[in-house]
Every structure is written in structure tokens, then in C-alpha cells.
Amino acid sequence: MRDSRTSAILNLTLGIVSAAMAVSCFFLPEENVPWLSSLLALLSLAAVAVSMGILNYSSYLFTSDTKRLFLPYLICVLSVPGIMDAGPFHIAALLTVWTMFLAAGYINSDRVRMDFAFGSVLIAGAASMAVPCLVYAQIVTVLYCLYVRNQEPLRYLLSILAGAGIPWLYVVVWSFIFPGLTDLGAFLGRYAHGMELSLPSFDGMTLPEMSWAVLLSLLVIRSLVFVIRRRRERNKAQKNAFGLSVALSVVMFLTVVFCGGLEEPLLLMSAGIPAAFAAYDLFINGRRAEAGAWLALLMLSAVAVRLSEFFPDIL
């Protein structure tokens, strides 16, 4: 049984570090973000954290130490430069959570909920409009739901086609109504460029940033292995939900590596969400010493990255 006193101290430390990371964003050198943009960024991060909690209670069925789900996630994303400047990555992160919510609801529902299938693909499509490389996560979500819940495939196909088509229909209609605001050709060019695959590049990354990227990669891999090994210990709903997290974590990891995520670290906002649920399983059900070590390394590395921004000549 986990030592509740140790858990409380560690959770408090996580909260303090996440708050410190958020406050430090406002004092970064050469950081001049309008207050409204910063407020919207904070609200979006809060909405993502709350939505992750809702998803956890609805599909992952954990009822304790929920702070170990969203606080490590917040520490990770708050270490990213530009996190307090609201933009498409913030919108995509929130949409990613609700894509998982509806997809998990579809595969775990007692009834055939085509409205959930439609909604998950619609929201995933909207996320890919904001961040084009998330289209790969949309494809994996469709295939995973079809694999797990292979019922009425024709209705499912019609639902996902409708869901996937509506964001594109919106873009086309908007470009015709307001041609001065939206250039359809330019949008298609940006979309195609955003989903292009390329070899990863570490140019411009500092030593703390490279160490941070390696640590997060190792944590994701260890969490996925832990989740897969414990598959037989779960009920059906948990198996389906964690299976979705594993599938999305893998495709998100590959997206970050091969779709310019190293050059655009804000992609971590969306990519880290499914991996956060896998890591949460490790932090809650793993050995206490290992969980504590990972969380300590996470906090120390995030702080080191932030200090390297304040003192680039030292770290």
C-alpha cells in the first residue's frame, strides 16, 4: 500500500513546481506576450487539465491521485517556449482530449453510439485543421475504433466520412464567403507542408533541451511497456481505454519525431495527452521508488530547461 504521507508531499511538490513554471513564463527574457493572449493560454491549459480529469473518471476508472495525471503533464508543457502565447496548439490540445473522450465512449458504450464515432472524428478533424500533423492521430483513432468495435461497419464508415468531411466543408465555404480572409490554395499548401514527414533535426537545441527530450522519450517508452504488461489486470473498459492511449501515444511520438515536433515543441501539448494517461498508470500502480524517481527527474529536468532560458551562458 502506498505511503499516503509520501504521496501528499510528492503531490505538493508537483503542484509547487507546476505553479513556479507557470509564473516563470511571464519573466522570460525577450518574452513580450499580450496579457489577453496569456490569459487565454492559462484558461486553455486549465480546460485541458479539467478535461483530462473528466476523461479519466469516465473511461480510465481511476479514483485516486488524479493530480499525478495532469500535474506532470502541465510541468512538461509549461517548460515549452511560447506556451503562454495562445494559438492553434492550445486549441488542438483541448480538442485532442475530447477526441479521446468520445472515442473511448464509443468503444465502451453498451449501445452502438455512432454519434460518438461521428463526434470523435469531427473533433479530431478540427484539431488537424489547427495543427495539420494531427491528421495521423485522426486516422489511428478511426482504425482503432473500427478494430475494437467492429459493429455495423457501413454506418460507422458513413459516420466517420461525415465527421471528417465537415471541417473541410467549413474551410471551403469560408474561403468562398470571405475570399479576402482565407486563401484556399494557401491553406492547402500549409496543410500539406504541416503533415510532411522528414528526418528529425537537433539543430539549435541546447544540452538541457536535448536531455529533456531524451528523458521524455524514455518515460513514454517505459510507460507504454508498463501499460501493456498490466493489460490482463484490467477490466474490458480499461483495456479499451488504455489501448487507445497506447495507439495514440505511439503515433504521436512518431509525429513529434518525423513531423517537425523537435523544431516546434508546442506540439507536445497535444502529443503529451495520450502519453500522460500511460504515465499516470506507472505513477499510480508502479513501484513507489520508480514512480518517485521518474517524477523527480521530470521536475528537475523541467527546472533545468527553464533555468537555461534565464541563464543561457551557464547551462
Side-chain angles (χ1 to χ4, degrees), residues 6 12 14 22 46 59 72-73 83 99-100 110-111 141 154 166 183 258 266-267 298 301 303 314:
T6 303
L12 177 62
L14 286 169
S59 299
Y73 169 80
I83 189 65
T99 296
M100 293 179 63
D110 294 332
R111 298 180 291 130
T141 301
L154 181 58
I166 286 179
D183 185 334
F258 296 106
L266 282 173
L267 182 58
L298 208 63
S301 297
V303 170
I314 298 177

Side-chain angles (χ1 to χ4, degrees), residues 236-254:
K236 183 178 179 181
Q238 287 178 315
K239 287 181 181 179
N240 291 339
F242 275 107
L244 178 64
S245 286
V246 169
L248 287 177
S249 295
V250 172
V251 71
M252 289 288 199
F253 180 83
L254 295 175

Side-chain angles (χ1 to χ4, degrees), residues 72-291:
Y73 169 80
L74 289 177
I75 289 173
C76 291
V77 298
L78 286 169
S79 68
V80 176
I83 189 65
M84 286 302 176
D85 188 5
F89 290 96
H90 295 73
I91 299 172
L94 184 59
L95 294 177
T96 298
V97 182
W98 288 99
T99 296
M100 293 179 63
F101 178 87
L102 292 175
Y106 169 73
I107 58 181
N108 286 331
S109 176
D110 294 332
R111 298 180 291 130
V112 181
R113 297 295 302 268
M114 290 302 172
D115 54 334
F116 278 26
F118 167 81
S120 67
V121 178
L122 172 64
I123 296 176
S128 71
M129 294 292 107
V131 182
C133 60
L134 294 180
V135 68
Y136 299 112
Q138 181 186 24
I139 295 171
V140 169
T141 301
V142 169
L143 295 177
Y144 182 80
C145 290
L146 179 63
Y147 170 76
V148 174
R149 193 74 181 263
N150 188 17
Q151 295 180 348
E152 302 187 33
L154 181 58
R155 284 185 61 197
Y156 178 76
L157 178 62
L158 293 175
S159 297
I160 63 171
L161 287 177
I166 286 179
W168 286 103
L169 180 62
Y170 172 82
V171 171
V172 172
V173 171
W174 183 270
S175 66
F176 277 103
I177 296 177
F178 303 103
L181 296 177
T182 304
D183 185 334
L184 183 59
F187 175 81
L188 292 175
R190 288 194 299 270
Y191 192 90
H193 177 72
M195 59 181 294
E196 282 182 354
L197 301 178
S198 60
L199 293 176
S201 173
F202 297 95
D203 294 341
M205 294 183 69
T206 64
L207 180 60
E209 289 172 342
M210 293 182 64
S211 302
W212 183 224
V214 171
L215 175 65
L216 291 181
S217 300
L218 293 175
L219 176 58
V220 169
I221 295 171
R222 172 62 182 126
S223 300
L224 295 181
V225 171
F226 183 82
V227 168
I228 294 172
R229 284 183 174 178
R230 296 189 67 248
R231 176 176 176 80
R232 294 186 178 181
E233 302 177 24
R234 312 182 198 280
N235 59 40
K236 183 178 179 181
Q238 287 178 315
K239 287 181 181 179
N240 291 339
F242 275 107
L244 178 64
S245 286
V246 169
L248 287 177
S249 295
V250 172
V251 71
M252 289 288 199
F253 180 83
L254 295 175
T255 299
V256 169
V257 174
F258 296 106
C259 276
L262 297 177
E263 291 82 8
E264 186 49 81
L266 282 173
L267 182 58
L268 180 64
M269 293 187 68
S270 295
I273 290 171
F277 284 92
Y280 179 47
D281 188 25
L282 174 64
F283 296 153
I284 293 295
N285 296 310
R287 290 174 298 179
R288 186 174 61 187
E290 181 183 9

